[in-house]
Amino acid sequence: MIHKKIVVCMVLDIVSDYAAGFLKSAIRISKGLDKESFKVIFLSAKQKFPKKESYIDGMKVYRFASLKILRTNGKVHLAFPSSKEIDKIIEKEEVDIVHIQTPYYLCYQAMNIAKKRNIPIVVTSHTQPENILLNTLKMNKIFFVNILYNILIRMYNKSDLIICVSNFGKNLLKKRKIRSKIKVISNGISLSEFKPRSTYSFDKKFQINHKKNKFILYLGRLMEEKNIEVLIDCMNEVTAKLPNARLLIAGEGYKENSLKKRVEKLRLSHYVKFLGFLPEKELPLAFASCNVFVLPSLIELQGLVLLEAMACGKPIIVSNSLDSASRYLVKNNGFLFNPHNSHDLANKIIKILSDDELRAKMGKKSLKLIKNHDINFVIREHEKIYRNLLSIKIK
């Protein structure tokens, strides 16, 4: 007798050319689910793909008409399907679990349909309203933040379970009187993929010379909440003390041109290199190639890039922003700095780059801490959640 696989419908309103953490996490978890017991389909936006259906690593993706999101250079699209389209797919695929990854129109419709069909709903909370406001209206006013949180909470309260990627994210929702049950599970990291390794091919491609220089890396979207200006601004002070220090900025976003102009204005072109967008296969090499990783973000619910850097055995320097969970990943494996103080950041970078013993000690600590974020554990936890919710529904 052939038993039916549990069909999980991953719903992501947004499709993006940027290496968005929520997208990477959803794909990694989906790929790792036990293939004998689970089947995964995706609902997402149609971007430059001509077909309504496509595949990611053998998993079917249903794509819907979409609109470009402002201030993303046309690289981020938001889906706007009809409820009938979604309902037809959920019925056709015999979906057992609906897993929401983003809190916008497509996910809202998918949740309503799941409710009508008595299908369990899981939500992973990747979204902070503060982030949305910074990147659209360039504001972080309490009034608008509260409005967005109220909308978010009403939506999340329709779920059977909310997964938060950090305790920080869980506390944010609890302050807003969330009713649904919450479980904290890290985004997770593949320790077989991200690890200390030889970076010869990467170094050759980007002309990185480890014998002559020491390298600071930022990798992520070039957007407002990432606060990359403070990292650029500190480089004159860093290079005055350490002339062999170099800053690598990997990623893309609407702030790319303004950041490059800032580098030119500060006469830092010799010391700062923009690597552009890196394909997934080059990410472990980028982290392994640097001497220290810096995340100056003002807003993060976890900081997947920090997990990736730690898995490669790197010390980390992180913004001590009250709106960011990333600061909780610093535990004797790096430093925190004032997000609005380039002098403070410069001092922390100089301290790590000028002390080989300290750098090695912090790198070893990162390798020890990252074991708690193994993607295999994260995947097994998701499998348990899906099975448990289905057993409750059956009862």
Side-chain angles (χ1 to χ4, degrees), residues 108-121:
Y108 177 77
Q109 294 285 10
M111 289 183 82
N112 286 339
I113 291 164
K115 277 290 183 186
K116 290 178 182 177
R117 290 182 170 272
N118 201 32
I119 297 172
I121 300 168

Side-chain angles (χ1 to χ4, degrees), residues 15 29 31 39 96-97 137 145 169 171 200-201 222 298 314 338 363 376 380:
V15 63
I29 290 167
K31 284 170 61 177
K39 171 187 172 182
D96 297 297
I97 298 281
L137 303 175
V145 167
N171 291 334
Y200 176 78
S201 60
L222 309 185
L298 299 172
K314 301 303 171 181
N338 183 329
N376 293 310
R380 301 291 87 81

Side-chain angles (χ1 to χ4, degrees), residues 12 15 23 26-28 30-31 35 40-42 44 49 53-63:
L12 303 94
V15 63
L23 180 59
I27 292 172
R28 287 173 182 171
S30 299
K31 284 170 61 177
K35 299 297 187 294
V40 180
I41 65 166
F42 285 82
S44 191
F49 305 96
E53 297 178 13
S54 60
Y55 288 85
I56 297 176
D57 294 302
M59 298 176 288
K60 186 179 284 188
V61 185
Y62 290 92
R63 301 189 180 276

Side-chain angles (χ1 to χ4, degrees), residues 100-372:
I100 302 298
Q101 300 286 338
T102 47
Y104 305 109
Y105 185 78
L106 166 57
C107 286
Y108 177 77
Q109 294 285 10
M111 289 183 82
N112 286 339
I113 291 164
K115 277 290 183 186
K116 290 178 182 177
R117 290 182 170 272
N118 201 32
I119 297 172
I121 300 168
V122 180
V123 169
T124 296
S125 177
H126 295 289
T127 303
Q128 277 178 269
E130 295 91 341
N131 191 347
I132 297 170
L133 290 173
L134 272 178
N135 280 300
T136 54
L137 303 175
K138 279 196 171 184
M139 63 173 65
N140 191 3
K141 304 294 184 183
I142 293 176
F143 174 75
F144 292 103
V145 167
N146 286 338
I147 289 174
L148 290 180
Y149 265 115
N150 288 338
I151 294 171
L152 196 71
I153 295 300
R154 282 201 298 270
M155 183 175 177
Y156 284 5
N157 275 334
K158 294 182 178 181
S159 67
D160 295 281
L161 178 73
I162 300 169
I163 297 173
C164 287
V165 297
S166 63
N167 281 307
F168 173 82
K170 176 181 178 179
N171 291 334
L172 282 180
L173 295 183
K174 283 201 161 185
K175 287 177 185 177
R176 305 282 172 169
K177 299 180 180 179
I178 195 78
R179 293 193 305 273
S180 296
K181 183 180 177 182
I182 298 176
K183 186 174 180 64
V184 176
I185 308 176
S186 170
N187 274 313
I189 183 73
S190 172
L191 300 183
S192 61
E193 182 181 0
F194 289 86
K195 59 186 178 181
R197 61 172 70 203
S198 168
T199 59
Y200 176 78
S201 60
F202 184 84
D203 296 342
K204 184 178 180 181
K205 177 179 177 179
F206 291 106
Q207 299 179 323
I208 295 172
N209 189 332
H210 288 284
K211 291 181 179 180
K212 291 176 61 176
N213 302 312
K214 286 187 168 66
F215 293 91
I216 308 146
L217 175 67
Y218 166 81
L219 192 153
R221 299 188 303 278
L222 309 185
M223 299 179 83
E224 190 72 28
E225 86 280 8
K226 299 302 180 181
N227 193 34
I228 304 162
E229 289 85 352
V230 72
L231 179 53
I232 292 172
D233 291 349
C234 83
M235 283 304 293
N236 270 323
E237 189 173 347
V238 171
T239 55
K241 290 282 185 70
L242 300 172
N244 65 337
R246 299 291 184 270
L247 171 60
L248 304 175
I249 298 177
E252 58 182 355
Y254 69 82
K255 299 213 72 174
E256 184 172 348
N257 289 336
S258 67
L259 293 173
K260 287 180 175 178
K261 288 178 181 178
R262 197 180 194 95
V263 168
E264 291 175 6
K265 183 179 179 181
L266 294 173
R267 298 181 181 179
L268 286 167
S269 298
H270 180 68
Y271 301 99
V272 181
K273 178 180 284 190
F274 288 83
L275 306 184
F277 176 80
L278 298 181
E280 189 77 14
K281 65 180 181 180
E282 288 188 348
L283 298 184
L285 298 175
F287 290 110
S289 183
C290 74
N291 298 101
V292 60
F293 181 77
V294 179
L295 186 64
S297 299
L298 299 172
I299 300 168
E300 294 282 353
L301 279 176
Q302 183 173 53
L304 186 58
V305 288
L306 282 179
L307 301 184
E308 293 168 343
M310 289 167 62
C312 292
K314 301 303 171 181
I316 57 176
I317 301 177
V318 179
S319 158
N320 194 19
S321 170
L322 295 179
D323 288 325
S324 174
S326 296
R327 67 188 191 274
Y328 297 111
L329 291 171
V330 180
K331 298 176 181 177
N332 298 318
N333 60 329
F335 293 124
L336 296 174
F337 76 96
N338 183 329
H340 307 293
N341 189 327
S342 61
H343 174 69
D344 186 28
L345 176 55
N347 282 339
K348 302 294 169 58
I349 291 174
I350 291 167
K351 190 167 185 178
I352 288 179
L353 290 186
S354 60
D355 190 333
D356 294 347
E357 186 178 340
L358 175 65
R359 199 165 59 250
K361 184 179 179 181
M362 287 180 167
K364 287 180 181 178
K365 185 65 174 179
S366 280
L367 288 173
K368 184 178 180 180
L369 292 170
I370 198 61
K371 292 177 182 178
N372 296 325

